[in-house]
Amino acid sequence: MHMMLISGNDSSHPASFILLGIPGLENSPFWITFLFCVMYIVAVVGNITILYIIQTDHTLHQPMYIFLAMLAFTDLVLSSSTQPKMLAILWFHAHEIEYHACVIQVFFIHAFASVESGVLMAMALDRYVAICFPLRHSSILTTSVVIKLGTVVMVRGLLWVSPFCFMISRMQFCPNRVIPQSYCEHMAVLKLLCADTRVNRAYGLFVAFSVVGFDILVISVSYVMILRAVLQLPSGEARFKAFGTCASHICVILAFYIPALFTFLTHRFGRHVPRVVHIMVANVYLLVPPMLNPIIYGVRTKQIRDRVISGCCGKDL
C-alpha cells in the first residue's frame, strides 16, 4: 500500500497509521468481540449512572462523591478514547487511523490516565482524613478544597502530557506506519520515528515517575496511616467496617496501577514478553477499571446502591 506523506516546515508524517489490533483475534469468534462490547457498554452505562446520581442528589455533594464523580468522568473518557476503535478493528477490520486522530488518542489516553491516578490519590487522602480525623473531615476537605484539588489533578494531566504530542508532531517518521496495538500509545508511536527519541523517552520517564511515583507514594502513606488508625479502634465491628470501606478502594487502585505499570515497563524493558500478553494487558488497563469502578462503588456505597434500586424498581418499593 502506498504511503502518503504530509510535509510541513519541520516535520513529515504519514496521512494515517495501521493499527494491527490484538494478535490472534483477527478472525475472532463473535463471542469474544461481543464480550469486549458488553464490557464497554457496562463501563459507559455504569459511569453515566454514577454521574447522574451524584449530580441530581444534593445529599451526595460531599468530598467522597465529588471525587467519585471525577473518577467516573475520567473512566468515560479513557474507555471511549480506545474501545470504539478497537471494536471497529474487530468487527469491521477498520485498521486505519488518521494521523491527527492518532495524536489526539495519544493525548487523551495519557492525560486522563494521569488524571485517574491523581483522582485515586485524592480519594486516598479523603479516606485518610475521614478515618483519622472524622470530626474535622468537613472542615479540612471543604468543597472549595476539593474543587481546587480536582483542578490541580486535571491541569497536571493536561499540561504534563501536551509536550508528548508537540514533540511527536515536530519529528520525522519512518516509512513504516504499522502500530502493533489496538490504539495509539506514546511509546508505540515513538518507535515509528526516524529520529533521535532520547529526549521523548526521558520526558516520558519523568512524567511517569513524577505523576505515578508521587501518587503511589501519597496513596501508600495514606493507607499506612489509615491501617494504624483502624487497628486502634476499640470495636471489632468498627474495624471491620473501616477495612471494608478501604478494601474496595484498594481493589480499584490495584486494578488500575498493576496493568498500567506492566504496560509501561514492558514497552521499555519487556523484550521477551509475548506481544499478545502485552497488548491484552494494555487493553485491560483501559477497559477493566472503567467497567469495575462503578460496579464496586455502586455495590459498596449504600446511598448510590439505594438510588439505583429505587430507580429500577420504583420509589414506592
Side-chain angles (χ1 to χ4, degrees), residues 95-244:
H95 292 273
E96 194 167 30
I97 183 170
E98 197 266 333
Y99 168 79
H100 293 100
C102 182
V103 174
I104 290 170
Q105 196 176 53
V106 169
F107 174 77
F108 273 92
I109 289 170
H110 292 286
F112 280 88
S114 168
V115 172
E116 176 131 353
S117 178
V119 172
L120 292 174
M121 180 263 296
M123 293 176 80
L125 286 175
D126 174 64
R127 290 299 84 209
Y128 164 68
V129 175
I131 291 174
C132 297
F133 306 99
L135 299 179
R136 297 174 54 201
H137 181 251
S138 58
S139 61
I140 294 174
L141 283 176
T142 62
T143 303
S144 172
V145 170
V146 170
I147 291 172
K148 287 176 183 175
L149 185 56
T151 302
V152 168
V153 165
M154 179 70 71
V155 170
R156 181 190 68 171
L158 301 180
L159 287 183
W160 254 225
V161 172
S162 294
F164 285 160
C165 303
F166 177 76
M167 288 189 286
I168 287 172
S169 68
R170 308 292 292 177
M171 302 178 82
Q172 181 81 30
F173 280 83
C174 299
N176 175 37
R177 61 182 185 132
V178 175
I179 297 175
Q181 292 192 191
S182 56
Y183 58 84
C184 292
E185 195 269 345
H186 179 241
M187 284 300 296
V189 175
L190 279 191
K191 291 174 182 177
L192 303 182
L193 292 171
C194 283
D196 187 348
T197 59
R198 282 178 295 183
V199 173
N200 306 63
R201 292 169 186 270
Y203 183 71
L205 285 170
F206 163 74
V207 170
F209 285 111
S210 64
V211 171
V212 177
F214 175 78
D215 292 348
I216 289 178
L217 178 63
V218 173
I219 290 170
S220 300
V221 172
S222 297
Y223 273 98
V224 168
M225 301 300 289
I226 287 170
L227 184 62
R228 287 179 57 189
V230 168
L231 291 175
Q232 292 172 2
L233 291 173
S235 166
E237 184 180 348
R239 284 198 299 270
F240 180 78
K241 184 178 178 181
F243 273 125

Side-chain angles (χ1 to χ4, degrees), residues 5 16 103 113 156 191 246 299:
L5 286 177
S16 62
V103 174
R156 181 190 68 171
K191 291 174 182 177
C246 296
V299 170

Side-chain angles (χ1 to χ4, degrees), residues 80-94:
S80 297
S81 296
T82 57
Q83 297 313 305
K85 181 60 181 177
M86 190 185 78
L87 291 172
I89 292 171
L90 291 173
W91 278 342
F92 310 115
H93 303 289

Side-chain angles (χ1 to χ4, degrees), residues 256-268:
F256 175 74
Y257 281 116
I258 290 175
L261 289 172
F262 177 87
T263 302
F264 173 79
L265 294 171
T266 300
H267 260 305
R268 285 161 174 80

